[in-house]
């Protein structure tokens, strides 16, 4: 539609001639209403949930994609089989007569003049469902509560169906009266003078009007079945804020879900609707439409909600503001402005159609990057102001300010009650990072389906661990200390006291590296760490000194390094990985591009051998090229290679063993080669560091200083166990792991064999899928003909009993949406056979389901 025509028409509307923003229209509405009415429309408990709804959108930023030819984006969407002009509907708003004498009639008339989108009519409407239907030129849905008197519900549903209403919206987050703000009372009755005319047969029966106060606190999921038994209309369920409830709603047969926190009108302090949306979208897995209610104030808010998993949004208080400001014309103006903003945002973001909006279109920003919320009482609808919610509940304009009386220096009970409550936006932004959420989701799926075959965990096989080994290794290390002349007191201290931050077993690690890897470094250049993760953290903290410093990583990439970078506020630049690993040509382009932006690339992180997640190994030629390029560009290489010594055959030399210019910082771990529970890793950092006074030390010395402020030291007991294992193997971990490497080779080969059997060439071609064939390590990647996201993973685990890892987890800049990672290290042949068989059934079902879905 031509929303510009709507806007041009409205410029002449009395009272709106100068107002071109929703905020301005809200200000007009407030000026035209008496304070009590405004307070009722905008009220919402203590406003915490309301402000959270607005704040959730303020934390979202768009990520435009350019040169996409998006001059005229398409906003049409289809919900419940009905095309809408835009992914927007009007929320159920009670007591609209308070805003304007036309009430619901003005809302449906104004909506029809702007766009063909649904209007949800509240059970507390001031006009009959029949009267509203006669005046409406848009789809109508009816909102209902769970009432004790089911006959009232049945009569109202029958009337709505007879009047042509197209769907029912069951509000489920109001199980009992109470919680309404600012004078609405404790019995869910509207203010004096307003009559919920649809609750009685003739609209005048007081006992039946009071039936709304008799909400059913004992209502359960059978309420959906009862509603289904009296109507064939689609049923939407409103008030869902958890993935578990969303899954249950789908199981009981609802036709759609409305993510809503009721604006805090029932339970203030509940999470923001937008914050709950991704979990619910993943749980629903596209089986039914998901709508978002709460906090939408701008066209880009609609775009953000769709990017995070919604199919459409409900618009609440802004509609009431338009109605109060100028009746039907005001509603048309509000919707016209929002639709214009949506199309403009889509065009500028490089999005051609609503169907193209995905999670890659948005990102979270740290609270420190957000503008200060106005907080002034005359700034309705401003960022940071309370949310607009449906069902008649609302929030006062602006952020409420609490000023303590001068001289009041004692903490009140209220102060103490809220002192320990933290706001997510006040924490470091990394805690809300989507990568962390997705990994938590993977853990949740694994725990929820313990009988599923899991290709997700990249951990060693338990069959190689013997409890007695720990005692043998520790005794071997203590004997070693005694053999080299340490007194009993010194031996005791080496086990029970803290010890040096750089570690006690550096000499043993140096000897093992020389024998196994050809890495010849002095023990002083090694720091023993708490796993390889701390080695990454220390290296990044030491090397990245300012906001313009950049870490380059391959894409896909191990999330441990990207997570550490985010914790340290380090900028990342991803370089696409090819069939042979990192491309030196692409790396050079990326480094030069960052320098052209005024930033300083400092290092590139790589897993050159059997990488996690892709399983790719970098050829020897590429390794020499990388070292040469690092020297030319003046950057360091962070080499992380935990899978070499548990892989079969002769390995390609490490980058560090080829390093002649000390360009490589080598990160190591004994989690795969000895046992993960020891949590012992190390970093080889032999780079000279020149101090201002001319003295020269080693980078390892600086890392040890940082470590002393982070973990103080690595557990001496863990070091003793690992040191004893190194001594028992004569420093040759490769020989110690011969049997283990053979096992992992066999599990990888057998899994590949199962894939070949389940997916012969003709079936692969028909499905459009394939996989790589790593020479070692724990992982392989499988290309699939569907979007391999959390929703697909949930279906796979629940319906087919097989778990895998979406490769999208591993792409810092987005990607990998049609690829999964399979880990083979932890499986028996029986597991692999059964798991691949289940996976094949799941893939076939996904392809068949996509074929049945209308384009």
């Amino acid at each position: 539609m031509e929303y510009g025509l709507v806007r041009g028409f409205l410029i002449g509307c009395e009272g709106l001639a100068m107002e071109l923003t929703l905020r301005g229209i809200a200000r007009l509405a407030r000026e035209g209403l008496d304070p009590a009415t405004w307070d009722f429309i905008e009220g919402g408990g203590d406003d915490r949930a309301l402000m959270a709804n607005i704040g959730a959108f303020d934390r979202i930023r768009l990520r435009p994609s350019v040169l996409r030819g998006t001059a005229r984006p398409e906003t049409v969407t289809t919900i419940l089989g009905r095309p809408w002009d835009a992914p927007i509907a009007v929320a159920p708003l009670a007591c609209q007569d308070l805003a304007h004498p036309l009430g619901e009639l003005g809302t449906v008339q104004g909506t029809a003049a702007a766009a063909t989108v649904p209007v949800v009519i509240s059970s507390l409407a001031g006009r009959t469902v029949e009267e509203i239907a006669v005046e409406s030129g848009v789809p109508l849905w009816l909102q209902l509560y769970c009432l004790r008197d089911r006959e009232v519900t049945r009569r109202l549903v029958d009337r709505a169906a007879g009047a042509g209403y197209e769907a029912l919206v069951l509000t489920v987050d109001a199980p009992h009266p109470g919680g309404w703000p600012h004078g609405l009372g404790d019995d869910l009755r509207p203010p004096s003078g307003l009559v919920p005319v649809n609750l009685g047969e003739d609209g005048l029966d007081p006992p039946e009007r009071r039936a709304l106060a008799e909400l059913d606190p004992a209502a359960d999921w059978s309420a959906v079945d009862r509603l289904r038994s009296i109507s064939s209309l689609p049923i939407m369920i409103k008030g869902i804020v958890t993935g578990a409830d969303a899954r249950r709603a789908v199981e009981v047969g609802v036709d759609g879900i409305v993510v809503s926190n009721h604006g805090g009108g029932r339970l203030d302090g509940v999470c923001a609707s937008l914050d709950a949306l991704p979990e619910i979208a993943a749980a629903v897995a596209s089986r039914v439409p998901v709508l978002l209610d709460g906090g939408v104030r701008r066209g880009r808010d609609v775009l953000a909600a769709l990017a995070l998993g919604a199919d459409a949004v409900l618009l609440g208080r802004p509609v009431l503001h338009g109605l109060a400001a100028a009746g039907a014309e005001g509603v048309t103006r509000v919707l016209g402005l929002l639709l214009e903003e949506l199309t403009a945002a889509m065009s500028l973001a490089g999005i051609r159609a609503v169907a193209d909006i995905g999670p890659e279109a948005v990102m979270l920003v740290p609270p420190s990057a957000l503008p200060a919320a106005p907080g002034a009482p005359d700034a309705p609808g401003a960022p940071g102001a309370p949310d607009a919610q449906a069902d008649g509940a609302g929030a006062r304009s602006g952020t409420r300010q609490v000023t303590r009386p001068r001289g009041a220096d004692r903490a009140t009970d209220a102060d103490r009650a809220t002192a320990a409550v933290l706001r997510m936006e006040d924490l470091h932004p990394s805690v809300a990072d989507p990568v962390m959420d997705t990994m938590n989701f993977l853990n949740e799926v694994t725990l929820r389906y313990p009988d599923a075959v899991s290709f997700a965990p990249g951990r060693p096989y338990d069959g190689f661990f013997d409890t007695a080994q720990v005692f043998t290794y520790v005794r071997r290390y203590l004997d070693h200390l005694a053999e080299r002349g340490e007194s009993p007191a010194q031996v005791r201290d080496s086990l029970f006291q803290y010890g040096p931050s750089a570690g006690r077993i550096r000499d043993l690690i140096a000897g093992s590296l020389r024998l196994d890897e050809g890495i010849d470094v002095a023990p002083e250049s090694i720091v023993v760490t708490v796993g390889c993760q701390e080695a990454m953290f220390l290296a990044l903290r030491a090397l990245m000194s300012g906001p313009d410093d950049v870490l380059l990583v391959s894409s896909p990439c191990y999330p441990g390094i990207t997570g550490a970078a985010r914790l340290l506020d380090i900028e990342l630049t991803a370089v696409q990985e090819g069939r042979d690993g990192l491309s030196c040509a692409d790396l050079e382009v990326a480094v030069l591009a960052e320098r052209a932006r005024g930033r300083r690339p400092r290092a590139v992180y790589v897993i050159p051998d059997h990488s996690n997640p892709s399983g790719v190994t970098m050829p020897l030629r590429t390794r020499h090229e990388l070292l040469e390029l690092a020297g030319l560009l003046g950057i360091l290489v962070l080499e992380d290679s935990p899978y070499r010594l548990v892989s079969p055959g002769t390995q390609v030399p490490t980058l560090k063993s080829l390093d002649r210019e000390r360009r490589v910082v080598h990160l190591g771990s004994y989690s795969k080669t000895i046992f993960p529970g020891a949590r012992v890793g190390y970093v080889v950092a032999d780079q000279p560091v020149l101090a201002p006074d001319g003295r020269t030390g080693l980078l390892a010395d600086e890392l040890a200083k940082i470590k002393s402020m982070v973990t103080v030291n690595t557990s001496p007991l863990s070091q003793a166990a690992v040191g004893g294992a190194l001594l028992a193997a004569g420093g040759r971990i490769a020989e110690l792991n011969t049997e283990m490497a053979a096992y992992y080779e066999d599990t990888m080969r057998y899994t590949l064999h199962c894939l070949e059997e389940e997916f012969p060439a003709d079936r692969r071609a028909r499905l459009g899928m394939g996989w790589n064939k790593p020479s070692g390590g724990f992982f392989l990647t499988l290309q699939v003909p569907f979007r391999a996201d959390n929703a697909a993973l949930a279906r796979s685990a629940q319906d087919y009993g097989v778990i895998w890892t979406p490769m999208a987890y591993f792409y810092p800049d987005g990607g990998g949406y049609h690829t999964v990672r399979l880990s083979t290290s932890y499986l028996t042949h029986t597991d692999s056979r059964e798991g691949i068989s289940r996976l094949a059934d799941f893939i076939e079902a996904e392809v068949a389901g996509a074929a049945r879905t209308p384009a």
Side-chain angles (χ1 to χ4, degrees):
M1 359 176 356
E2 296 290 343
Y3 298 121
L5 294 179
V6 173
R7 190 176 193 180
F9 166 74
L10 289 174
I11 292 294
C13 293
E14 181 179 358
L16 294 179
M18 301 303 293
E19 294 303 341
L20 300 178
T21 68
L22 297 186
R23 187 183 304 178
I25 293 173
R27 186 175 293 110
L28 283 178
R30 182 174 187 178
E31 292 170 355
L33 295 172
D34 64 82
T37 299
W38 174 260
D39 204 34
F40 167 71
I41 289 175
E42 292 295 293
D46 290 329
D47 296 347
R48 285 177 293 181
L50 304 175
M51 289 186 288
N53 278 347
I54 293 291
F57 280 105
D58 286 339
R59 295 196 303 273
I60 302 294
R61 291 293 182 270
L62 304 183
R63 300 176 68 240
S65 181
V66 299
L67 299 178
R68 300 291 296 275
T70 54
R72 300 179 65 83
E74 180 56 72
T75 62
V76 172
T77 191
T78 299
I79 306 290
L80 299 181
R82 177 76 130 91
W84 302 3
D85 284 344
I88 299 166
V90 176
L93 301 162
C95 308
Q96 293 186 38
D97 289 357
L98 281 174
H100 192 277
L102 283 174
E104 289 79 15
L105 301 182
T107 296
V108 297
Q109 292 167 2
T111 300
T116 300
V117 297
V119 177
V120 186
I121 302 302
S122 171
S123 291
L124 287 172
R127 303 297 180 110
T128 67
V129 293
E130 295 86 356
E131 183 181 6
I132 295 169
V134 169
E135 296 294 329
S136 175
V138 294
L140 296 178
W141 295 0
L142 177 67
Q143 176 268 335
L144 302 164
Y145 292 101
C146 294
L147 304 180
R148 290 175 178 169
D149 192 333
R150 297 169 188 172
E151 184 62 21
V152 173
T153 299
R154 186 193 62 76
R155 282 198 293 266
L156 182 55
V157 168
D158 286 346
R159 290 171 55 198
Y165 284 61
E166 298 183 6
L168 305 174
V169 179
L170 182 63
T171 295
V172 294
D173 58 352
H176 56 76
W180 284 80
H182 315 310
L184 188 53
D186 290 332
D187 57 359
L188 260 179
R189 288 179 304 200
S192 176
L194 292 182
V195 178
V197 297
N198 290 297
L199 295 182
E201 289 188 47
D202 56 6
L204 298 176
D205 185 9
E208 297 212 272
R209 289 203 301 273
R210 287 196 298 270
L212 188 60
E214 298 178 1
L215 296 175
D216 186 1
D220 56 23
W221 288 101
S222 64
V224 177
D225 289 334
R226 287 195 299 272
L227 192 56
R228 181 74 70 199
S229 70
I230 64 174
S231 176
S232 61
L233 292 176
I235 298 173
M236 308 288 288
I237 191 165
K238 178 177 178 289
I240 301 295
V241 291
T242 71
D245 280 349
R247 283 188 291 273
R248 185 65 187 276
V250 173
E251 290 169 0
V252 300
V254 302
D255 299 287
I257 287 173
V258 180
V259 183
S260 173
N261 62 11
H262 215 107
R266 305 261 59 79
L267 178 62
D268 198 21
V270 68
C271 64
S273 297
L274 189 69
D275 289 339
L277 174 61
E279 175 187 341
I280 291 171
V284 169
S286 302
R287 287 174 285 181
V288 298
V290 174
L291 278 61
L292 177 87
D293 174 42
V296 175
R297 292 295 181 277
R298 297 155 295 201
R300 65 177 182 270
D301 293 346
V302 181
L303 197 162
L306 268 60
L308 294 177
D311 295 290
V313 303
L314 296 183
L315 190 65
R317 286 190 186 82
V319 173
L320 280 182
H321 297 158
L323 184 66
E329 291 85 356
V331 173
T332 307
R333 165 56 66 84
V334 164
L335 291 172
L337 287 175
L338 194 73
L339 293 169
E340 280 194 345
E341 290 179 3
L342 172 60
T343 54
M346 289 174 62
S347 179
L348 292 171
I351 298 170
R352 296 180 180 179
V354 166
D356 297 333
I357 300 173
E360 67 279 358
V362 297
M363 65 179 293
L364 289 171
V365 297
S368 59
L370 296 174
D378 62 347
D387 169 43
Q389 187 42 269
D391 297 333
R396 288 175 299 283
S397 174
T399 301
R400 209 160 36 175
Q401 302 294 317
V402 180
T403 304
R404 297 185 68 184
R406 185 174 300 174
D409 55 357
R410 289 187 178 181
T412 66
D413 289 341
D415 290 334
R416 284 189 290 270
T418 60
V421 177
L422 303 178
R423 298 171 63 89
M424 177 66 78
E425 53 265 38
D426 292 332
L427 304 180
H428 191 272
S430 62
V431 301
D433 191 282
V435 170
M436 296 187 181
D437 289 338
T438 53
M439 296 309 290
N440 286 337
F441 176 79
L442 180 62
N443 293 334
E444 178 188 346
V445 168
T446 302
L447 291 173
R448 190 182 306 133
Y449 303 103
D451 295 330
V453 177
S454 180
F455 290 97
R459 60 180 184 175
Y461 178 55
D462 286 348
F464 291 109
F465 301 144
D466 182 351
T467 306
Q469 285 179 324
V470 177
F471 303 102
T472 301
Y473 289 156
V474 171
R475 172 51 59 190
R476 179 69 183 86
Y477 178 71
L478 297 179
D479 290 344
H480 164 73
L481 296 182
E483 289 165 4
R484 72 182 190 185
E486 294 194 14
S487 68
Q490 290 173 317
V491 172
R492 182 191 62 215
D493 285 354
S494 71
L495 201 61
F496 287 98
Q497 290 294 349
Y498 292 106
S501 293
R504 292 185 179 274
I505 60 171
R506 294 190 292 170
D507 57 333
L508 298 178
I509 294 174
S512 179
L513 287 173
R514 187 164 48 252
L515 293 171
D516 266 332
E517 302 285 26
I519 298 175
D520 191 1
V521 293
E524 292 76 19
S525 65
I526 296 172
V527 177
V528 185
T529 60
V530 181
C532 191
Q533 192 66 32
E534 187 187 29
M536 296 177 196
F537 189 91
L538 298 179
L540 292 183
R541 181 65 294 159
L543 296 175
M544 305 292 168
S545 62
D548 294 329
D549 288 347
V550 175
L551 173 69
L552 298 113
V553 298
S554 61
S555 182
C557 181
Y558 172 57
I561 191 71
T562 55
R566 288 185 174 108
L567 285 170
L568 294 170
D569 297 316
I570 293 170
E571 290 290 334
L572 287 172
T573 294
V575 181
Q576 193 66 35
E577 182 181 79
R579 294 184 61 183
D580 292 335
L582 194 71
S583 163
C584 289
D586 291 345
L587 175 62
E588 182 177 11
V589 169
V591 169
L592 296 178
E594 289 301 322
R595 286 178 177 164
R597 296 186 185 102
R599 301 203 289 188
R600 186 173 70 149
R602 293 284 286 141
V604 57
Y605 170 87
V606 294
I607 302 180
D609 303 287
H610 323 295
S611 76
N612 181 8
S614 66
V616 171
T617 294
M618 183 185 293
L620 179 61
R621 173 181 51 80
T622 305
R623 298 179 191 226
H624 284 294
E625 291 176 358
L626 177 58
L627 292 173
E628 182 181 3
L629 181 62
L632 291 173
L633 296 176
I635 63 174
L636 295 176
V637 178
L638 304 183
E639 179 185 29
D640 180 11
S641 196
Y643 305 102
R644 291 173 53 82
L645 300 183
V646 290
S647 295
T650 302
Q651 300 297 305
V652 183
T654 63
L655 288 164
K656 188 60 183 175
S657 68
L658 302 172
D659 181 23
R660 300 294 176 263
E661 298 180 356
R662 299 189 182 186
R663 287 283 169 191
V664 178
V665 176
H666 185 79
L667 311 170
S669 169
Y670 292 110
S671 292
K672 308 300 186 292
T673 55
I674 296 180
F675 59 92
R679 301 305 305 131
V680 173
Y682 58 89
V683 55
V684 178
D686 60 346
Q687 290 72 25
V689 176
L690 181 64
D693 61 4
R695 289 183 296 176
T696 301
L698 291 174
L699 177 60
D701 299 329
E702 311 310 314
L703 301 186
K705 293 177 187 176
I706 300 171
K707 179 177 172 62
S708 71
M709 293 292 108
V710 179
T711 57
V712 181
N713 69 330
T714 302
S715 164
L717 185 59
S718 292
Q719 290 188 72
V722 170
L726 294 174
L727 289 163
R732 296 186 180 274
I733 293 295
E735 293 183 6
L736 180 68
N737 288 333
T738 301
E739 182 183 357
M740 194 180 294
Y743 179 86
Y744 296 138
E745 178 187 22
D746 180 63
T747 59
M748 175 67 74
R749 183 184 295 118
Y750 189 75
T751 303
L752 291 170
H753 170 71
C754 292
L755 285 169
E756 291 283 354
E757 284 197 337
E758 287 288 347
F759 299 101
D762 57 341
R763 191 182 189 188
R764 289 202 301 272
R766 174 174 61 83
L767 294 173
M769 58 179 296
W771 54 84
N772 65 345
K773 298 179 180 180
S775 59
F778 290 2
F779 310 105
L780 65 91
T781 54
L782 184 71
Q783 292 77 50
V784 294
F786 56 86
R787 190 178 180 91
D789 54 14
N790 282 354
L793 173 57
R795 293 193 295 273
S796 178
Q798 176 177 310
D799 300 335
Y800 294 89
V802 60
I803 298 172
W804 35 266
T805 307
M807 277 291 284
Y809 290 3
F810 303 98
Y811 284 77
D813 289 341
Y817 300 118
H818 292 273
T819 313
V820 304
R821 188 193 76 173
L822 301 182
S823 174
T824 65
S825 62
Y826 197 67
L827 302 175
T828 65
H829 281 196
T830 301
D831 294 332
S832 295
R833 169 67 67 186
E834 180 64 22
I836 295 300
S837 175
R838 295 180 184 184
L839 184 62
D841 291 342
F842 167 67
I843 291 173
E844 286 283 7
E846 289 291 294
V847 172
R852 290 193 300 268
T853 302

